[in-house]
Amino acid sequence: MPKGPGKGAATAITALLKLGLGAAGIGITGYYSLFNVEAGHRAIIFDRLVGIKPEAVGEGTHFLIPFIQWPIFYDVRTRPRNIMSLTGSKDLQMVNVNVRVLSRPHEKKLPELYEKLGLDFDDRVLPSIVNEVCKQVVAQYNAVQLLTQREQVSARIRNNLIDRAREFDIVVDDVALTELRFGREFMAAVEAKQVAQQDAERSKFIVDKALEEKRSIIIKAEGEAQSAILISKAIKNQPGFVELRRMDAAKEVATTISRSANKVYLNADSLLLNLLDSDGIQGTRK
């Protein structure tokens, strides 16, 4: 019995729907069978049948089995993190240590890292191991050594933290000791010590100054005594020495009076101008 035109159209529509569904299924399957790994990232593949695959996938476009496998992405770029640790020094001083850590996951160990710690590995591991290492290292130094040997302390923290993080498949690229903050009691003690040292230095300076002044007075007195001895000898051996000193004194007095704006009338005795006494005049006349 021949088929009618209506039944033929229904068959064609059914065929078209099947073809469309097939194409859509193929498109969806193709879409979900591709995934991209961005720059600075790596991916690990989880398989419903075998679990995490042992190899990490690099950057680019890759294939997987849709609905059975899916990717898990890791950022493998170095990331900074500041961690504060409160610890005690060798002399029982409390110290706040601020450590800046640059870390990243080990690319070849990403499957093991995901199985052990998951995606938030740095939040789970870094704070605890930084505190552990800081307490271990800082406890070997007293407070003064932490200030004077800061580079050595930072190097020991860096080396110990790199070794400790390696156990968790974490790569630490750099560790920096950015801050050391002591308690108020220690800072007050340091300030008091500095003030005491400054007072001691000031007292030492005053003592040295007094000694120098004493030496200066002694030298000056010895000079004056020697000068008096020489003047005495000059007067005894050279009577004209007295007259010479009188002339110098008269010259000095006359110079001072001449420069004054006031008028002064004094006799020759006051001005020390009577340089020739009666004996001198008589001697001259003779």
Side-chain angles (χ1 to χ4, degrees), residues 68-105:
I68 296 179
Q69 298 176 340
W70 62 81
I72 301 170
F73 299 100
Y74 268 95
D75 186 351
V76 295
R77 294 172 293 186
T78 299
R79 290 179 290 181
R81 187 184 183 95
N82 288 320
I83 300 174
M84 193 68 127
S85 175
L86 178 63
T87 182
S89 63
K90 188 176 181 180
D91 53 354
L92 303 181
Q93 295 292 338
M94 299 307 298
V95 187
N96 274 316
V97 182
N98 192 4
V99 181
R100 181 182 61 85
V101 182
L102 297 179
S103 63
R104 55 186 173 85

